[in-house]
């Protein structure tokens, strides 16, 4: 059992306010959990959204992206031991998240990281990378990257709307690994960043949404000339014009083919009914929490595949920005996320920089 005592923990309240409190060091909630000393925590937009949707007077530890050192493992855990360098996806809306000195995660959503991967890079991965995998392979049912047909499969056009976002940039890398082309990426300020990933020789393009909705739709249509109709869309924005533009592309394909109903599937990262999609286009919500419930095996496999990709170099963490002050930097960072100031960047926090942290300056 880990040494007893208290730790520093950040609790997020409605209005994107953060309190740093002293909390007990968590104990393992089950034999299948891992206790991790958190070196770096990542942040996500849900961290400021959920406290407004489900407010708590005390506040909640909303962090779910963990990078750190294994402290203790449950009796059923066989892959990890104390001292291992790991990253992990903490189960959302449960205690002992990543905005603290110690946190817990299920063993199946924990994965090893090599010394070549920094804790800052690792903290940018778990939630967003798994969301991308769920969207592409569970919802859109695209070819798995290890499928026998991947090296020589026919063209499969894919639209990634919001390709510079956390989910978008990981979806792009998975799609490349699955030999999916052409990939039609819609991005804005970070357009050049996205272009560094695509393969233009296979028809991949980046379209700048700042040129306006009509231009986006027209350029998507141009990119699809001479290609099979687009049947797969991952919308990492999922509000406003992203939905209407996707609907227009599907509808205009239908009109051009004069073949009755449009066919396809669009998956969205935000919940709620998406109006305007033509009849015949399926829609789904990509909920990453499924890997802690119905899709545990999927989460187990893909987190280990991500670890392999990092080691081999074909999968890379998105860009990160270290916010000074450890837990004290969370409030400002979440407010910046809320204001839309982060562009193709993940805010991460070095927990040992927190004033009064028992880990002191023991970065690893």
């Amino acid at each position: 059992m880990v040494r007893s005592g208290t730790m520093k923990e950040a609790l997020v309240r409605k209005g994107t306010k953060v309190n740093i409190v002293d909390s007990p060091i968590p104990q393992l909630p089950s034999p299948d959990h891992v206790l991790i000393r958190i070196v770096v925590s990542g942040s996500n937009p849900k961290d400021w959204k959920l406290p407004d949707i489900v407010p708590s007077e005390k506040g909640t530890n909303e962090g779910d992206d963990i990078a750190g050192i294994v402290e203790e493992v449950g009796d059923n855990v066989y892959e990890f031991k104390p001292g291992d360098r790991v990253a992990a996806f903490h189960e959302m809306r449960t205690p002992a998240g990543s905005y603290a000195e110690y946190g817990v995660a299920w063993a199946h959503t924990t994965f090893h990281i090599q010394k070549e991967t920094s804790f800052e890079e690792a903290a940018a991965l778990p939630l967003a990378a798994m969301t991308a995998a769920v969207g592409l392979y569970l919802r859109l049912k695209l070819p798995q990257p290890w499928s026998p047909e991947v090296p020589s499969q026919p063209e499969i056009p894919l639209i990634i709307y919001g390709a510079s976002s956390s989910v978008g940039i990981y979806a792009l890398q998975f799609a490349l690994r699955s030999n999916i082309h052409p990939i039609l990426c819609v991005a804005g300020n970070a357009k050049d960043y996205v272009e560094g990933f695509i393969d233009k020789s296979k028809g991949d393009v980046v379209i700048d949404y700042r040129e306006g909705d009509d231009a986006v739709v027209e350029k998507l249509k141009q990119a699809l000339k001479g290609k099979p109709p687009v049947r797969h869309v991952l919308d990492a924005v999922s509000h406003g014009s992203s939905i209407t533009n996707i609907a227009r592309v599907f509808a205009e394909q239908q009109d051009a083919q004069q073949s009755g109903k449009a066919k396809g599937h669009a998956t969205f990262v935000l919940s709620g009914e998406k109006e305007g999609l033509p009849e015949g286009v399926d829609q789904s919500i990509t909920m990453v929490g499924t890997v802690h419930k119905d899709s545990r095996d999927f989460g187990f496999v893909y987190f280990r595949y991500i670890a392999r990709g990092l080691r081999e170099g074909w999968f890379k963490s998105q860009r990160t920005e270290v916010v000074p002050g450890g837990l004290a930097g969370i409030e400002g960072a979440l407010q910046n996320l809320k204001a839309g100031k982060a562009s193709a960047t993940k805010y991460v926090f070095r927990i040992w920089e927190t004033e009064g942290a028992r880990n002191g300056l023991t970065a690893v």
Side-chain angles (χ1 to χ4, degrees):
M1 180 178 294
V2 70
R3 58 187 183 274
S4 61
T6 61
M7 64 176 185
K8 296 297 181 182
E9 182 177 31
L11 304 179
V12 187
R13 294 181 289 113
K14 184 177 181 179
T16 320
K17 300 298 182 182
V18 178
N19 289 341
I20 299 175
V21 300
D22 291 319
S23 299
I25 294 174
Q27 304 298 312
L28 291 172
S30 86
D32 297 300
H33 275 84
V34 179
L35 177 68
I36 302 167
R37 176 165 68 87
I38 302 169
V39 179
V40 180
S41 170
S43 59
N44 292 284
K46 60 150 281 289
D47 300 348
W48 68 261
K49 293 178 180 179
L50 285 182
D52 284 354
I53 298 170
V54 188
S56 164
E57 183 176 348
K58 179 183 176 183
T60 51
N61 180 341
E62 290 291 340
D64 296 312
D65 282 335
I66 294 174
I69 303 293
V70 173
E71 187 82 12
E72 183 184 0
V73 300
D75 290 343
N76 294 341
V77 176
Y78 60 90
E79 288 183 273
F80 308 103
K81 63 184 185 304
D84 284 349
R85 299 174 85 254
V86 296
F89 175 33
H90 167 263
E91 184 175 2
M92 296 182 291
R93 305 301 290 175
T94 65
S98 68
Y99 289 163
E101 293 183 77
Y102 293 88
V104 301
W106 290 94
H108 77 278
T109 57
T110 302
F111 58 99
H112 291 281
I113 54 173
Q114 300 289 316
K115 61 180 181 298
E116 291 81 10
T117 299
S118 70
F119 287 111
E120 289 79 7
E121 292 170 324
L125 286 161
L127 186 151
M130 185 54 63
T131 302
V134 170
L136 292 182
Y137 302 117
L138 279 183
R139 299 295 171 259
L140 297 181
K141 302 188 184 306
L142 288 164
Q144 307 280 354
W146 52 77
S147 299
E149 68 271 16
V150 159
S152 59
Q153 67 184 5
E155 289 183 312
I156 304 177
L158 168 68
I159 295 175
I160 301 177
Y161 214 112
S164 65
S165 68
S166 299
V167 173
I169 206 67
Y170 294 132
L172 173 54
Q173 293 181 73
F174 276 129
L176 290 167
R177 187 68 175 176
S178 286
N179 197 27
I180 294 167
H181 298 283
I183 307 172
L184 314 180
C185 302
V186 181
N189 293 331
K191 178 176 179 287
D192 293 343
Y193 174 58
V194 177
E195 285 183 337
F197 288 87
I198 65 172
D199 187 345
K200 293 183 180 179
S201 71
K202 295 184 178 180
D204 299 348
V205 297
V206 182
I207 296 164
D208 193 336
Y209 66 76
R210 295 172 297 179
E211 296 180 14
D213 294 340
D214 289 343
V216 168
V217 173
E218 184 58 34
K219 288 187 175 182
L220 286 171
K221 289 167 54 183
Q222 290 175 5
L224 288 166
K225 282 185 177 179
K227 306 290 184 182
V230 67
R231 304 294 195 211
H232 304 92
V233 178
L234 188 152
D235 187 352
V237 179
S238 302
H239 63 81
S241 61
S242 74
I243 302 168
T244 56
N245 290 345
I246 289 166
R248 286 175 61 185
V249 171
F250 275 124
E252 293 190 28
Q253 281 188 163
Q254 172 185 327
D255 292 342
Q257 296 169 21
Q258 297 180 342
S259 57
K261 295 180 181 178
K263 297 178 181 178
H265 189 150
T267 190
F268 302 90
V269 299
L270 298 180
S271 60
E273 188 70 17
K274 307 300 186 291
E275 298 181 356
L277 291 174
E279 187 179 0
V281 176
D282 296 327
Q283 60 177 283
S284 64
I285 306 300
T286 293
M287 303 294 288
V288 69
T290 189
V291 300
H292 285 130
K293 295 179 172 59
D294 298 333
S295 304
R296 294 167 64 90
D297 288 352
F298 182 91
F300 174 87
V301 170
Y302 264 94
F303 273 127
R304 280 137 193 83
Y305 195 58
I306 288 167
R308 179 181 177 183
L310 291 170
R311 185 177 67 251
E312 296 179 350
W314 55 263
F315 199 77
K316 299 180 185 300
S317 169
Q318 72 172 115
R319 298 185 298 199
T320 62
E321 179 180 331
V322 177
V323 181
L327 297 176
I330 292 174
E331 182 173 305
L334 295 187
Q335 289 174 351
N336 284 343
L337 279 178
K338 187 175 184 177
K341 294 182 179 180
S343 178
T345 300
K346 175 78 75 172
Y347 293 131
V348 300
F349 316 98
R350 293 168 173 159
I351 303 302
W352 79 85
E353 292 182 353
T354 306
E355 183 177 354
R358 65 183 289 165
N359 289 330
L361 296 178
T362 56
V364 181

